[in-house]
């Protein structure tokens, strides 16, 4: 038997070494970017075959050793021994008593009585050291009576839902700069009613010119549309790589690579929302909350007073009605959830809610317009912009150069693995007249 056990151990070690060689060869495949040399594949397949063959031989020998052990036990008993089938032996009675003691001990443990649980085990013939080991309520004794319930998941904080990309305009681009022509706004008597500086005129069909005493008078030239160029620079989103050990990824019960990818994607979406709202435009998209055409000057028509340090009902009405009708029909409110809570709490002097029933069109609806929540908006306070309103699908453009990509870096961070995310995009306000910012003084 000793020789057989020696051969089994040797075969097990041979199989384990071949498997380790196969994993080592496989870890090099990433650097070939899908075109693995044939010799490497041959080495990998040979190592797998060697490991499989050695393991099969070891298992066959183990099966033989088990059969030999059973035969040895059967032939070691006296030939004239009577079978015990149908009769309870002393060992059987002891095992039954111990099983009953287990039940009583476990019931006492569930009730929180550790001492009674221990006494039940001692009464069944367990030694004090065995009883200590079986009481799982005392972790210092190495208890194993009640094993831990392990969940194959990772508890994570829920991130703020990133939703601004869905309400702005996204334009794919293959260049580092997206250039868009724009028609300048009308500056005439009814600037909100016209889409450009071009104005028409009513006249007779022959009213373009007049002739008197041989002199031709040409009618006054009408205002012409003015074009200008909008440039949106593309920026790189490249955070530091996430480093994880190979053993952690291999041994973890939860799918850590999938969890890391989800976390990176949520972080990118949140950073994108932050840039759309508060981005400086320097190495990142330009945000509408800090756009000089909207928020800088105190006399700016794109700013609407909401109240003193908090949002008032009248100021909120002024905000939604300050946007031209052509943009208001697709308008959305952007604010924090806490800001909405304060608005819904507004009351008259008699205690009547000012916005009662305004949410009947939906839980995220106010004054008939949908609400997009973002914690990156200002909270109410002095000189803050807690609410924005307008048609963001017309007002803001994202230039999407490259969507999120996560590179798996094996060699650079060996023996660990790095996950390096990268994406390229830009963003800017292209139609400021479609947005109004509500501010509290």
């Amino acid at each position: 038997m000793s020789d057989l056990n020696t051969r089994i151990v040797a075969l097990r070690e041979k199989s384990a070494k071949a498997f380790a060689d196969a994993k080592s060869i496989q870890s090099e495949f990433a650097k070939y970017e899908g075109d693995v040399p044939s010799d490497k594949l041959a080495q990998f397949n040979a190592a797998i075959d060697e490991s499989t063959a050695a393991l099969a031989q070891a298992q066959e020998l183990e099966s033989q050793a088990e059969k030999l052990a059973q035969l040895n036990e059967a032939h070691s008993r006296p030939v004239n021994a009577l079978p015990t089938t149908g009769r309870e032996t002393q060992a059987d009675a002891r095992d039954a008593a111990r099983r009953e003691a287990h039940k009583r001990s476990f019931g006492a443990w569930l009730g929180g009585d550790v001492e009674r649980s221990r006494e039940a085990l001692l009464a069944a013939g367990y030694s004090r050291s065995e009883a200590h080991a079986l009481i799982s309520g005392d972790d210092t004794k190495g208890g194993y009576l009640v094993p831990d319930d392990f969940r194959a998941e990772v508890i994570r904080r829920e991130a703020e839902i990133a939703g601004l990309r869905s309400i702005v305009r996204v334009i794919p681009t293959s260049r580092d700069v997206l250039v868009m022509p724009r028609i300048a706004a009308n500056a005439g008597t009814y600037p909100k009613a016209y889409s450009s500086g071009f104005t028409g005129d009513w006249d007779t069909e022959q009213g373009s010119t007049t002739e008197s005493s041989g002199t031709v008078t040409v009618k006054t030239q009408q205002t012409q549309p003015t074009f200008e160029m909008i440039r949106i620079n593309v920026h790189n989103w490249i955070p530091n790589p996430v480093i994880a050990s190979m053993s952690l990824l291999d041994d973890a019960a939860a799918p850590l690579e999938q969890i890391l990818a989800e976390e990176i994607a949520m972080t990118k979406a949140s950073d994108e929302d932050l840039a759309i709202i508060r981005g400086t435009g320097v190495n990142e998209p330009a945000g509408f909350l800090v756009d000089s055409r909207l928020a800088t000057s105190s006399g700016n028509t794109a700013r609407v007073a909401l109240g003193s340090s908090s949002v008032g009902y009248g100021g909120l009405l002024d905000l939604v009605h300050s946007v031209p009708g052509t943009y208001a029909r697709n308008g959305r409110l952007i604010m924090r959830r806490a800001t909405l809570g304060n608005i819904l709490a507004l009351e008259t002097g008699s205690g009547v809610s000012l916005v009662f029933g305004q949410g009947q069109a939906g839980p995220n609806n106010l004054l008939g317009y949908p609400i997009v929540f973002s914690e990156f908006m200002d909270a109410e306070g002095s000189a803050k912009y807690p609410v924005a309103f307008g048609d963001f699908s017309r007002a803001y453009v994202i230039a999407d150069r490259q969507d999120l990509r996560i590179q798996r870096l094996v060699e650079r961070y060996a023996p660990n693995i790095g996950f390096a995310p990268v994406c390229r995009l830009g963003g800017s306000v292209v139609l400021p007249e479609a947005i109004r910012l509500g501010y509290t003084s």
Side-chain angles (χ1 to χ4, degrees):
M1 288 290 292
S2 60
D3 293 339
L4 188 59
N5 290 335
T6 302
R7 291 177 59 193
I8 292 173
V9 171
L11 288 170
R12 284 281 185 178
E13 291 177 347
K14 180 180 179 181
S15 176
K17 183 179 181 304
F19 182 67
D21 293 341
K23 289 184 66 176
S24 176
I25 296 170
Q26 186 186 36
S27 66
E28 300 177 7
F29 287 179
K31 67 181 181 181
Y32 297 112
E33 298 181 352
D35 189 13
V36 181
S38 58
D39 60 329
K40 286 292 183 182
L41 285 174
Q43 293 176 16
F44 174 76
N45 292 331
I48 289 295
D49 292 342
E50 182 180 357
S51 176
T52 303
L55 181 60
Q57 293 177 27
Q59 291 174 341
E60 178 65 25
L61 292 178
E62 287 170 349
S63 177
Q64 294 177 11
E66 183 179 357
K67 292 178 181 178
L68 287 173
Q70 292 174 353
L71 290 172
N72 184 58
E73 181 182 359
H75 291 296
S76 64
R77 287 181 289 191
V79 178
N80 59 351
L82 295 175
T84 58
T85 304
R87 296 191 306 168
E88 185 179 44
T89 64
Q90 185 177 0
D92 294 332
R94 183 187 62 190
D95 291 339
R98 289 198 167 193
R99 285 195 295 270
E100 186 62 25
H102 272 208
K103 294 179 181 179
R104 293 197 303 271
S105 176
F106 185 60
W109 179 86
L110 288 177
D113 194 342
V114 177
E115 289 302 322
R116 191 159 61 90
S117 176
R118 183 180 291 110
E119 290 172 1
L121 294 173
L122 294 175
Y126 283 99
S127 67
R128 288 193 172 275
S129 59
E130 289 175 326
H132 285 322
L134 286 170
I135 301 300
S136 66
D138 193 346
D139 293 335
T140 61
K141 302 296 189 296
Y144 58 86
L145 184 61
V146 183
D148 292 336
D149 185 6
F150 183 81
R151 289 285 298 175
E153 64 177 282
V154 177
I155 298 175
R156 294 176 287 171
R157 293 180 64 251
E158 188 70 26
E160 173 72 16
I161 297 176
L164 297 188
R165 174 176 277 257
S166 63
I167 68 170
V168 302
R169 186 181 181 188
V170 180
I171 300 179
T173 179
S174 58
R175 298 289 185 269
D176 290 339
V177 179
L178 176 64
V179 180
M180 301 178 64
R182 182 179 68 179
I183 302 178
N186 189 291
T189 306
Y190 305 101
K192 296 182 180 180
Y194 292 92
S195 61
S196 70
F198 177 69
T199 57
D201 190 22
W202 296 97
D203 206 340
T204 62
E205 184 178 358
Q206 303 297 326
S208 58
T209 61
T210 59
E211 183 176 354
S212 176
S213 302
T215 302
V216 177
T217 303
V218 180
K219 187 177 180 181
T220 303
Q221 180 68 40
Q222 299 298 302
T223 303
Q224 299 297 307
T226 303
F227 291 89
E228 54 190 13
M229 304 301 291
I230 298 295
R231 297 174 61 87
I232 303 177
N233 294 319
V234 172
H235 307 285
N236 299 324
W237 184 78
I238 311 179
N240 292 331
V242 178
I243 310 299
S245 66
M246 179 74 77
S247 59
L248 177 63
L249 295 174
D250 290 342
D251 300 339
L256 287 189
E257 287 200 42
Q258 177 184 343
I259 292 171
L260 286 175
E262 292 173 355
E263 286 293 322
I264 291 172
M266 288 191 293
T267 300
K268 180 260 181 183
S270 296
D271 283 354
E272 184 178 280
D273 275 14
L274 175 60
I276 292 174
I277 295 176
R278 317 184 76 91
T280 62
V282 179
N283 297 326
E284 64 179 354
F288 63 80
L289 208 61
V290 295
D291 192 297
S292 60
R293 295 166 295 178
L294 298 174
T296 302
S297 172
S298 59
N300 196 331
T301 56
R303 288 166 32 118
V304 178
L306 297 176
S308 178
S309 299
S310 61
V311 179
Y313 184 66
L316 190 62
L317 291 176
D318 291 340
L319 175 65
V320 298
H321 290 92
S322 64
V323 175
T326 185
Y327 305 124
R329 60 191 174 197
N330 194 35
R332 284 177 168 81
L333 290 155
I334 301 180
M335 67 182 75
R336 295 187 178 195
R337 286 190 62 85
T339 302
L340 175 63
N342 294 335
I343 293 173
L344 296 177
L346 293 174
E347 296 179 343
T348 66
S350 304
V352 179
S353 175
L354 288 171
V355 289
F356 178 77
Q358 292 294 342
Q360 291 181 352
N364 298 332
N365 188 283
L366 185 64
L367 299 178
Y369 296 102
I371 305 171
V372 178
F373 295 111
S374 177
E375 293 302 308
F376 299 125
M377 290 292 292
D378 285 345
E380 294 175 283
S382 177
K384 299 295 183 180
Y385 294 92
V387 184
F389 175 73
D391 184 355
F392 292 90
S393 65
R394 298 288 302 276
Y396 197 95
V397 167
I398 290 179
D400 216 353
R401 176 70 173 83
Q402 175 185 300
D403 202 0
L404 177 62
R405 181 177 62 188
I406 302 176
Q407 296 176 312
R408 198 174 190 269
L409 306 178
V410 178
E411 295 183 354
R412 183 174 180 181
Y413 297 97
N416 300 320
I417 296 179
F419 297 89
V422 60
C423 74
R424 303 175 65 191
L425 61 90
S428 178
V429 174
V430 297
L431 199 64
E433 53 264 38
I435 302 178
R436 293 293 183 269
L437 301 182
Y439 75 95
T440 51
S441 57

